[in-house]
Protein backbone atom coordinates (compact mmCIF):
# COMPACT_ATOMS: atom_id res chain seq x y z
CA UNK A 1 0.00 0.00 0.00
CA UNK A 2 2.86 2.37 0.75
CA UNK A 3 4.36 1.76 -2.69
CA UNK A 4 0.93 2.21 -4.27
CA UNK A 5 0.44 5.74 -2.89
CA UNK A 6 4.07 6.81 -3.28
CA UNK A 7 3.36 7.96 -6.88
CA UNK A 8 1.53 10.93 -5.39
CA UNK A 9 4.58 12.13 -3.46
CA UNK A 10 6.37 15.14 -5.00
CA UNK A 11 9.71 14.18 -6.51
CA UNK A 12 12.76 16.20 -5.54
CA UNK A 13 15.52 17.13 -7.97
CA UNK A 14 18.63 18.93 -6.75
CA UNK A 15 16.95 19.46 -3.41
CA UNK A 16 13.85 21.12 -4.91
CA UNK A 17 10.36 19.71 -5.31
CA UNK A 18 9.83 20.68 -8.93
CA UNK A 19 6.45 18.98 -9.10
CA UNK A 20 4.90 21.96 -7.29
CA UNK A 21 5.64 24.10 -10.37
CA UNK A 22 2.40 22.75 -11.82
CA UNK A 23 0.60 25.20 -9.49
CA UNK A 24 2.27 28.08 -11.36
CA UNK A 25 1.49 26.56 -14.74
CA UNK A 26 -2.19 26.55 -13.88
CA UNK A 27 -2.02 30.29 -13.22
CA UNK A 28 -0.12 30.90 -16.47
CA UNK A 29 -2.87 29.15 -18.45
CA UNK A 30 -5.36 31.78 -17.31
CA UNK A 31 -5.49 34.74 -19.79
CA UNK A 32 -3.37 37.62 -18.57
CA UNK A 33 -6.20 40.09 -19.19
CA UNK A 34 -7.97 38.67 -16.13
CA UNK A 35 -5.25 40.17 -13.91
CA UNK A 36 -5.12 43.56 -15.62
CA UNK A 37 -7.19 46.66 -14.93
CA UNK A 38 -7.76 48.81 -17.99
CA UNK A 39 -6.46 52.35 -17.50
CA UNK A 40 -8.26 55.49 -18.53
CA UNK A 41 -5.86 56.05 -21.42
CA UNK A 42 -6.45 52.50 -22.69
CA UNK A 43 -10.23 52.95 -22.49
CA UNK A 44 -9.96 56.25 -24.36
CA UNK A 45 -7.77 54.67 -27.04
CA UNK A 46 -10.13 51.68 -27.29
CA UNK A 47 -13.21 53.88 -27.71
CA UNK A 48 -11.36 55.94 -30.31
CA UNK A 49 -10.35 52.79 -32.19
CA UNK A 50 -13.90 51.43 -32.18
CA UNK A 51 -15.35 54.76 -33.28
CA UNK A 52 -12.93 55.17 -36.17
CA UNK A 53 -13.33 51.50 -37.10
CA UNK A 54 -17.09 51.93 -37.41
CA UNK A 55 -16.59 54.85 -39.80
CA UNK A 56 -14.13 52.94 -41.98
CA UNK A 57 -16.23 49.77 -41.90
CA UNK A 58 -19.04 51.65 -43.67
CA UNK A 59 -16.71 51.94 -46.67
CA UNK A 60 -15.34 48.40 -46.56
CA UNK A 61 -18.53 46.63 -45.35
CA UNK A 62 -19.21 43.69 -45.29
CA UNK A 63 -15.82 42.27 -46.27
CA UNK A 64 -12.21 43.41 -46.10
CA UNK A 65 -11.83 43.40 -42.31
CA UNK A 66 -8.03 43.30 -42.67
CA UNK A 67 -8.02 46.38 -44.92
CA UNK A 68 -10.24 48.15 -42.42
CA UNK A 69 -7.84 47.32 -39.59
CA UNK A 70 -4.80 48.54 -41.55
CA UNK A 71 -6.57 51.81 -42.42
CA UNK A 72 -7.68 52.43 -38.83
CA UNK A 73 -4.19 51.80 -37.44
CA UNK A 74 -2.70 54.06 -40.13
CA UNK A 75 -5.16 56.78 -39.14
CA UNK A 76 -4.34 56.50 -35.43
CA UNK A 77 -0.60 56.50 -36.13
CA UNK A 78 -0.79 59.57 -38.35
CA UNK A 79 -3.04 61.49 -35.96
CA UNK A 80 -0.79 60.80 -32.98
CA UNK A 81 2.31 61.72 -34.99
CA UNK A 82 0.69 64.93 -36.22
CA UNK A 83 -0.44 65.94 -32.74
CA UNK A 84 2.96 65.21 -31.20
CA UNK A 85 4.53 67.43 -33.83
CA UNK A 86 2.55 70.39 -32.47
CA UNK A 87 4.49 70.36 -29.21
CA UNK A 88 7.63 72.52 -29.02
CA UNK A 89 11.03 70.97 -29.79
CA UNK A 90 9.49 67.76 -31.19
CA UNK A 91 10.37 66.71 -34.72
CA UNK A 92 7.29 66.39 -36.93
CA UNK A 93 7.97 63.18 -38.81
CA UNK A 94 4.84 63.47 -40.97
CA UNK A 95 6.04 66.82 -42.31
CA UNK A 96 9.05 65.15 -43.91
CA UNK A 97 8.48 63.81 -47.46
CA UNK A 98 10.76 60.83 -46.84
CA UNK A 99 8.45 59.52 -44.10
CA UNK A 100 5.15 60.17 -45.86
CA UNK A 101 6.44 58.96 -49.21
CA UNK A 102 7.76 55.78 -47.62
CA UNK A 103 4.38 55.07 -46.01
CA UNK A 104 2.46 55.87 -49.17
CA UNK A 105 4.65 53.80 -51.44
CA UNK A 106 4.82 50.76 -49.18
CA UNK A 107 1.10 50.60 -48.41
CA UNK A 108 -0.08 51.45 -51.93
CA UNK A 109 2.40 49.07 -53.56
CA UNK A 110 1.30 46.27 -51.23
CA UNK A 111 -2.36 46.74 -52.14
CA UNK A 112 -1.53 47.22 -55.81
CA UNK A 113 0.51 44.03 -56.15
CA UNK A 114 -1.91 42.00 -54.07
CA UNK A 115 -4.89 43.18 -56.10
CA UNK A 116 -3.29 42.51 -59.47
CA UNK A 117 -2.07 39.10 -58.28
CA UNK A 118 -5.35 37.92 -56.77
CA UNK A 119 -7.80 39.52 -59.20
CA UNK A 120 -6.09 40.50 -62.43
CA UNK A 121 -9.31 40.84 -64.42
CA UNK A 122 -11.01 43.11 -61.87
CA UNK A 123 -7.93 45.31 -61.47
CA UNK A 124 -7.44 45.63 -65.24
CA UNK A 125 -11.11 46.57 -65.69
CA UNK A 126 -10.57 49.74 -63.66
CA UNK A 127 -8.18 51.04 -66.33
CA UNK A 128 -11.14 51.63 -68.67
CA UNK A 129 -13.97 53.62 -67.04
CA UNK A 130 -17.50 52.38 -67.58
CA UNK A 131 -19.20 53.95 -70.59
CA UNK A 132 -16.06 55.21 -72.28
CA UNK A 133 -15.99 54.87 -76.11
CA UNK A 134 -14.17 51.87 -77.52
CA UNK A 135 -12.07 54.11 -79.77
CA UNK A 136 -10.70 55.94 -76.73
CA UNK A 137 -9.95 52.77 -74.76
CA UNK A 138 -6.14 52.78 -75.42
CA UNK A 139 -5.93 56.45 -74.43
CA UNK A 140 -8.05 55.86 -71.31
CA UNK A 141 -5.79 52.98 -70.29
CA UNK A 142 -2.76 55.26 -70.55
CA UNK A 143 -4.41 58.07 -68.59
CA UNK A 144 -5.72 55.75 -65.88
CA UNK A 145 -2.34 54.05 -65.58
CA UNK A 146 -0.65 57.39 -64.97
CA UNK A 147 -3.33 58.39 -62.44
CA UNK A 148 -2.86 55.11 -60.57
CA UNK A 149 0.92 55.43 -60.49
CA UNK A 150 0.91 58.97 -59.08
CA UNK A 151 -1.50 58.10 -56.25
CA UNK A 152 1.17 57.36 -53.61
CA UNK A 153 2.95 60.62 -54.46
CA UNK A 154 -0.23 62.70 -54.17
CA UNK A 155 -1.06 61.03 -50.86
CA UNK A 156 2.38 61.68 -49.43
CA UNK A 157 2.87 65.22 -50.72
CA UNK A 158 -0.60 66.28 -49.54
CA UNK A 159 0.12 65.11 -45.99
CA UNK A 160 3.65 66.52 -45.81
CA UNK A 161 2.72 69.86 -47.38
CA UNK A 162 -0.24 70.47 -45.07
CA UNK A 163 1.72 69.64 -41.95
CA UNK A 164 4.74 71.67 -43.06
CA UNK A 165 2.69 74.71 -44.06
CA UNK A 166 1.10 75.13 -40.63
CA UNK A 167 4.45 74.94 -38.85
CA UNK A 168 5.99 77.45 -41.23
CA UNK A 169 3.17 79.95 -40.70
CA UNK A 170 3.43 79.59 -36.92
CA UNK A 171 7.19 80.14 -37.19
CA UNK A 172 6.68 83.30 -39.27
CA UNK A 173 4.14 84.66 -36.80
CA UNK A 174 6.51 84.06 -33.90
CA UNK A 175 9.23 86.12 -35.59
CA UNK A 176 7.19 89.35 -35.39
CA UNK A 177 6.67 89.09 -31.63
CA UNK A 178 10.01 90.80 -30.85
CA UNK A 179 9.21 94.20 -32.38
CA UNK A 180 6.85 95.67 -29.79
CA UNK A 181 4.27 94.82 -27.18
CA UNK A 182 1.49 95.22 -29.73
CA UNK A 183 3.18 92.87 -32.18
CA UNK A 184 3.76 90.40 -29.36
CA UNK A 185 0.06 90.40 -28.43
CA UNK A 186 -1.02 90.06 -32.05
CA UNK A 187 1.48 87.28 -32.65
CA UNK A 188 0.33 85.41 -29.56
CA UNK A 189 -3.32 85.69 -30.55
CA UNK A 190 -2.78 84.55 -34.13
CA UNK A 191 -0.50 81.71 -33.07
CA UNK A 192 -3.12 80.48 -30.61
CA UNK A 193 -5.81 80.53 -33.29
CA UNK A 194 -3.55 78.83 -35.79
CA UNK A 195 -2.56 76.19 -33.24
CA UNK A 196 -6.22 75.30 -32.70
CA UNK A 197 -6.61 75.09 -36.46
CA UNK A 198 -3.58 72.80 -36.65
CA UNK A 199 -5.21 70.39 -34.22
CA UNK A 200 -8.07 70.04 -36.68
CA UNK A 201 -5.69 69.74 -39.63
CA UNK A 202 -3.75 66.98 -37.84
CA UNK A 203 -6.91 64.87 -37.50
CA UNK A 204 -8.31 65.68 -40.94
CA UNK A 205 -5.08 64.95 -42.81
CA UNK A 206 -4.74 61.60 -41.04
CA UNK A 207 -8.32 60.77 -41.99
CA UNK A 208 -7.87 61.85 -45.61
CA UNK A 209 -4.68 59.80 -46.01
CA UNK A 210 -6.27 56.70 -44.47
CA UNK A 211 -9.64 56.84 -46.22
CA UNK A 212 -8.05 57.44 -49.63
CA UNK A 213 -5.68 54.55 -48.98
CA UNK A 214 -8.68 52.34 -48.18
CA UNK A 215 -10.55 53.46 -51.30
CA UNK A 216 -7.52 52.82 -53.48
CA UNK A 217 -7.11 49.36 -51.96
CA UNK A 218 -10.77 48.47 -52.55
CA UNK A 219 -10.40 49.24 -56.25
CA UNK A 220 -7.94 46.39 -56.65
CA UNK A 221 -10.18 43.75 -55.03
Amino acid sequence: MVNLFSVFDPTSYFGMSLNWIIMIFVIIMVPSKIYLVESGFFLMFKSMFLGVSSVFSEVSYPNYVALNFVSVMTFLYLVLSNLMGLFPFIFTSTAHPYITLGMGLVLWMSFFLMGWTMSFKCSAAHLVPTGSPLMLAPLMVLIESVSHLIRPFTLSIRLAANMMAGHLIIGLLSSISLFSLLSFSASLMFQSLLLMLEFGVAVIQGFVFSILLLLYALEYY
Side-chain angles (χ1 to χ4, degrees), residues 126-151:
H126 287 90
L127 297 179
V128 181
T130 305
S132 59
L134 185 60
M135 297 291 294
L136 297 177
L139 181 61
M140 296 303 298
V141 169
L142 180 61
I143 294 174
E144 288 295 320
S145 299
V146 174
S147 66
H148 280 251
L149 292 176
I150 66 174
R151 281 177 175 180

Side-chain angles (χ1 to χ4, degrees), residues 9-172:
D9 296 335
T11 306
S12 298
Y13 297 98
F14 306 106
M16 296 182 295
S17 298
L18 300 180
N19 296 57
W20 296 111
I21 297 180
I22 191 63
M23 299 178 64
I24 303 176
F25 286 163
V26 173
I27 299 176
I28 293 176
M29 295 301 294
V30 179
S32 60
K33 193 174 181 180
I34 300 297
Y35 305 104
L36 300 178
V37 177
E38 296 180 348
S39 63
F41 177 77
F42 178 80
L43 292 176
M44 181 186 68
F45 188 85
K46 183 178 179 180
S47 62
M48 184 188 303
F49 177 85
L50 294 177
V52 175
S53 180
S54 63
V55 175
F56 280 81
S57 62
E58 296 180 0
V59 180
S60 59
Y61 182 83
N63 301 316
Y64 311 113
V65 179
L67 291 179
N68 184 36
F69 178 78
V70 171
S71 301
V72 172
M73 294 308 298
T74 302
F75 169 77
L76 293 177
Y77 176 80
L78 290 176
V79 169
L80 292 176
S81 298
N82 294 341
L83 292 178
M84 289 183 64
L86 297 178
F87 291 93
F89 307 108
I90 294 181
F91 173 70
T92 310
S93 60
T94 51
H96 203 290
Y98 283 167
I99 304 299
T100 57
L101 190 60
M103 291 182 60
L105 279 174
V106 170
L107 293 173
W108 176 85
M109 186 63 69
S110 301
F111 298 144
F112 180 82
L113 294 178
M114 189 178 298
W116 279 86
T117 303
M118 297 177 60
S119 180
F120 180 83
K121 183 178 179 180
C122 181
S123 299
H126 287 90
L127 297 179
V128 181
T130 305
S132 59
L134 185 60
M135 297 291 294
L136 297 177
L139 181 61
M140 296 303 298
V141 169
L142 180 61
I143 294 174
E144 288 295 320
S145 299
V146 174
S147 66
H148 280 251
L149 292 176
I150 66 174
R151 281 177 175 180
F153 300 98
T154 56
L155 276 175
S156 307
I157 294 173
R158 182 190 298 110
L159 176 61
N162 280 280
M163 296 308 301
M164 190 183 300
H167 290 72
L168 289 176
I169 296 175
I170 293 177
L172 291 175

Side-chain angles (χ1 to χ4, degrees), residues 177-198:
S177 60
L178 303 176
F179 295 132
S180 63
L181 182 61
L182 180 61
S183 62
F184 175 80
S185 302
S187 175
L188 183 62
M189 182 183 65
F190 285 119
Q191 285 186 75
S192 302
L193 293 175
L194 192 58
L195 187 61
M196 290 188 290
L197 178 64
E198 283 297 303

